[in-house]
Amino acid sequence: MQTASDVDLTTRATTVLRRLVGRDDADFRDGQLEAVLAIVERRQRVLVVQRTGWGKSAVYFVSTVLRREEGSGPTVIVSPLLALMRDQIAAAQRAGIRAVTMNSANAQEWGEVSAALARDEVDVLLVSPERLNNPRFRDEQLPDLARRCGLLVVDEAHCVSDWGHDFRPDYRRIRDLLQTLPAGTPVLATTATANARVVTDVVEQLGVGGHDVLTLRGGLARDSLRLGVMRQTSPEQRLAWLLAHLDELPGSGIIYALTVSGAEDVAAALRDAGHEVRAYTGRTDPADREQLEAMLRDNRVKALVATSALGMGFDKPDLGFVLHLGAPSSPVAYYQQVGRAGRATERADVLLLPGPEDKEVWAYFASASMPRQEQADAVLRALAESNRALSTAALETIVDIRRTRLELLLKVLDVDGAVQRVSGGWTSTGQPWTYDAERYERVAQARVREQELMVAYERTDGCRMAFLQESLDDDSAAACGRCDGCAGPWFPTEVPDTAVTTARGRLERAGVELEPRAQWPTGMDRLGVPVKGRIPAEESMQPGYAVARLTDLGWGQRLRELLRSPDAPVDPALLRACVPILRDWGWQERPVAVAAVPSRTRPQLVESFGQGLAQMGRLEWLGPLQLVDGGPVGEAGGNSAFRLANVWERLGLDVQQHRAVSGLTGPVLLVDDLASSRWTLTVAAQVLRRAGAPGVLPFVLALEA
């Protein structure tokens, strides 16, 4: 039963909502007003789990205006993506709400934002979770913001939970922030993608300090979405379907790929065929991302071919379709991505084209996201033994962990209180830390179950929307009547032979540029390697090529199978694929000889590859370089510093090779099976250059990324 104050607040809230959306007849959807009253009237902590497009942002913007009218401080929104921040700021400004952001892309504006906050001229401040631990922001801004904050909003709150599909360690810092808020500061957490396990975890964290949490959960069905799956398709069939049918899809949309190279390759193939598309990945420059988002929003492109970098936060209410070339690793993640479509349209088409390589991609990302005890122990030991802060680059010369994994591990240790980020790097707090093996094992098992659910979604003959709802523990799941499980395939299943031929030709096209290393890793003296700065031009290799990346849709799949197989001589078909690469190389000077990186695991493959190229090009075959003192040491997969140290001074030439190289009049083609860090190629090239080779052109079968 509403009180008199509730009625008054409802009237004020409705007025604000109508101003926000620009319509005099606008009214709250089920659950929105309840959330606003809980925040503004009762100062509660609230978790809202509602479908994409329900209007979660309306709740916190309306609440912000009402709280500001009462004299409270600014709303602080912790938001995960710059795209989301841009859209939220634009929406707020349209409603007369003064919204600003502090993020990595606008550090030069921090002074102006700080001054505006001090003058109380900011209604909404959006920050990324990473910003909460930036030393400057943490020390200069956060204490005052926590004291004056009128409302704290945790957007995309499923990121708080490591049970979730998109866990981010930085979100764990929000738990610490919650404990610094004055009594009576309301908190709103919002998400569209949380199953029961994630909801329980988020509620536990929101309730730290003994606070009750009100959970408002609605049905997650999306009436506008028409779901479908094309089963058992090869890479060429998937690409051919796109080439033939992309223009038949409604409006403009998003084509998701699992890897950066996959997105870039598909975008290039579609553009070559005359389709107006662009690639959007984690490698896309931030300024270019903003431009690409605007092009899609304004329907100036048919689609963006994107990785998950384009996900949470991108808002185009009339997005007409979402396609996936390869499946995300869980139905929850899939629901989040397809939720981009059909927010303000009667119909939007959602089609999944899974691939046989999906499970390998899932396994790779799953292994990279979980901390390992021996690596955590090594980092803690290094920091404890140092008398000063260590940068990430400095740590790389002490612990053999790849940069991305090391950065993730440091975040985990930071939010657990074992290390602290300070100016100049990282230090140990001296606090004891225990590896929670049991929890990580449970999380790993949960993710395996999610992968199994995704496969089940692909294979189900039942309603696909109901399957997704059930995967998110939505009790209101019911048959949608629109998907291919309910109504049969709504999408064309035939692919013209011409499209298949075009796709096959595109996927059989080999050749990926291989950029040489330009700089030695920093701090190599710690590992006994006397190098620093730029690699001297007279000792470096030139730009080269690989047949394909392992993640490529065409040759990548064949190369993955080849490198998993027992060692054997190179397939003649693979040698033939190299002919156009060599023909179109564009080198300034044609190679006159071929040498190989020595291989312990695949000597037949590498040597036959080099010999075959030498015979085709009538080049001198120098053979594999020599292994010195047993050759490279250590395991594959470490960071740059250790990869270089492991191969340093462990490759050489015998007397005959040295004599042959010193007499060459042109470059050497240097071959190998797989390039990952490129340090083995770099050291091998240095050996050849020091022996007198006029140049070194690297040519490998596969690039790891």
Side-chain angles (χ1 to χ4, degrees), residues 65 114 158 167 229 262 293 313 371 392 424 577 610 631 655:
V65 173
S114 298
H158 59 274
F167 168 59
V229 175
E293 292 162 19
T392 307
V655 174

Side-chain angles (χ1 to χ4, degrees), residues 99-336:
V100 296
T101 179
M102 280 186 170
N103 61 65
S104 57
N106 75 337
Q108 71 280 1
E109 300 173 11
W110 284 19
E112 299 173 19
V113 173
S114 298
L117 284 167
R119 296 190 299 268
D120 198 28
E121 295 175 353
V122 171
D123 299 317
V124 173
L125 173 68
L126 293 104
V127 297
S128 68
E130 293 79 10
R131 198 58 35 204
L132 298 177
N133 201 42
N134 174 276
R136 179 181 159 195
F137 181 84
R138 186 185 63 209
D139 297 339
E140 297 177 7
Q141 296 292 335
L142 196 54
D144 183 61
L145 281 173
R147 180 181 59 79
R148 294 197 299 120
C149 175
L151 168 64
L152 175 66
V153 178
V154 183
D155 211 357
E156 306 296 350
H158 59 274
C159 296
V160 167
S161 175
D162 55 8
W163 298 107
H165 72 277
D166 197 24
F167 168 59
R168 301 189 182 193
D170 288 294
Y171 260 79
R172 284 286 193 189
R173 297 192 177 97
I174 294 169
R175 185 187 182 103
D176 298 331
L177 176 59
L178 290 170
Q179 297 183 58
T180 68
L181 297 177
T185 303
V187 177
L188 170 66
T190 68
T191 181
T193 48
N195 57 21
R197 185 190 295 271
V198 173
V199 167
T200 299
D201 194 10
V202 174
V203 166
E204 187 273 327
Q205 295 189 56
L206 289 178
V208 64
H211 291 271
D212 291 330
V213 178
L214 172 66
T215 300
L216 299 175
R217 181 159 194 163
L220 300 177
R222 294 288 309 281
D223 294 339
S224 63
L225 300 186
R226 186 167 62 163
L227 303 172
V229 175
M230 281 192 68
R231 304 181 193 177
Q232 299 175 340
T233 53
S234 66
E236 66 185 39
Q237 289 172 319
R238 282 178 279 162
L239 181 56
W241 192 94
L242 274 178
L243 290 168
H245 300 298
L246 177 59
D247 285 339
E248 300 168 13
L249 294 168
S252 56
I254 300 172
I255 302 168
Y256 279 110
L258 295 184
T259 64
V260 171
S261 59
E264 292 174 344
D265 291 347
V266 169
L270 292 173
R271 283 180 61 80
D272 287 349
H275 295 283
E276 195 60 35
V277 301
R278 298 288 190 279
Y280 184 113
T281 74
R283 285 205 293 247
T284 305
D285 182 85
D288 292 336
R289 290 192 193 193
E290 192 169 352
Q291 181 181 15
L292 291 171
E293 292 162 19
M295 292 177 70
L296 179 58
R297 198 174 284 112
D298 298 339
N299 298 314
R300 286 180 281 148
V301 291
K302 180 65 177 179
L304 294 182
V305 187
T307 62
S308 58
L310 182 65
M312 292 183 298
F314 177 74
D315 186 20
K316 176 177 167 60
D318 63 342
L319 195 75
F321 62 89
V322 171
L323 268 61
H324 280 79
L325 294 180
S329 60
S330 76
V332 181
Y334 186 62
Y335 177 88
Q336 190 271 326

Side-chain angles (χ1 to χ4, degrees), residues 393-413:
L395 276 168
E396 282 186 305
T397 65
I398 303 173
V399 293
D400 189 8
I401 309 173
R402 282 192 178 184
R403 175 66 65 92
T404 52
R405 186 184 285 273
L406 177 58
E407 290 174 339
L408 180 63
L409 177 56
L410 286 166
K411 288 180 179 181
V412 171
L413 294 173

